[in-house]
Amino acid sequence: MKTEKEKMLAGEIYDCGDPDLLSRWHEAKRLQKEYAQTDSRDREKLKVILDYLLGSQGENVWISAPFYVDYGENIHIGNNVEINMNCVFLDCNKITIGNNVGIGPGVHIYAVTHPVNPAERLGKDHFWKSFTAPVTLGNNVWIGGGSVILPGVTIGDNTTIGAGSVVTKSIPANCLAVGNPCKIIRYLDE
């Protein structure tokens, strides 16, 4: 029988009130609070906190506090990545960020959603039933401030997403895309 975490990572309906999941959720909240309260000049301590919070991180990762996650451990960040303040990454499934990526302030990445039908959505206690899909950002991607990226989306290498976009479907490599819903405006010269 699968654990609730295994169901979560497989994209199946799972119980987010599971004690093991809640334990990691609370630990992630503690770590993100510690991160936010650490002097921004203390790069060594910030890196150590991120090592505990994230699934993995490459070299030269800069995350401006505050930074919010569900579990943290499902986030994998490449090299030379800058994530501006007030970003929210709901990492109930894998969020993979490639190399040389810039993420503007207030960007939300959701790897989790809920059934649309209330009869299917309402779970025991006060937790809603949830299911997930991974989110992947390729190399050399720029996500403009205030954008929202929904579950299951992949953004290809060298693509820019304009500020305030809502990315509901995958966007290919080498393009500029903007809007709600986010659409390709033009392809970039290679």
Side-chain angles (χ1 to χ4, degrees), residues 131-165:
F131 60 96
T132 69
V135 173
T136 303
L137 307 184
N139 296 319
N140 307 310
V141 167
W142 177 22
I143 308 297
S147 294
V148 176
I149 302 171
L150 297 182
V153 165
T154 294
I155 297 175
D157 293 347
N158 309 311
T159 287
T160 297
I161 303 298
S165 295

Side-chain angles (χ1 to χ4, degrees), residues 65-134:
F67 173 62
Y68 304 100
V69 302
D70 264 340
Y71 302 103
E73 66 187 2
N74 300 315
I75 300 170
H76 301 276
I77 300 175
N79 298 316
N80 306 314
V81 172
E82 182 178 348
I83 300 171
N84 213 321
M85 66 187 83
N86 290 315
C87 289
V88 176
F89 291 7
L90 301 185
D91 66 308
C92 300
N93 203 314
K94 197 172 186 181
I95 296 174
T96 304
I97 299 169
N99 297 320
N100 308 309
V101 172
I103 298 177
V107 169
H108 290 208
I109 299 177
Y110 305 146
V112 63
T113 190
H114 309 283
V116 176
N117 183 332
E120 297 171 5
R121 180 172 58 237
L122 302 176
K124 63 182 180 179
D125 300 324
H126 59 279
F127 293 105
W128 285 11
K129 293 179 183 174
S130 303
F131 60 96
T132 69

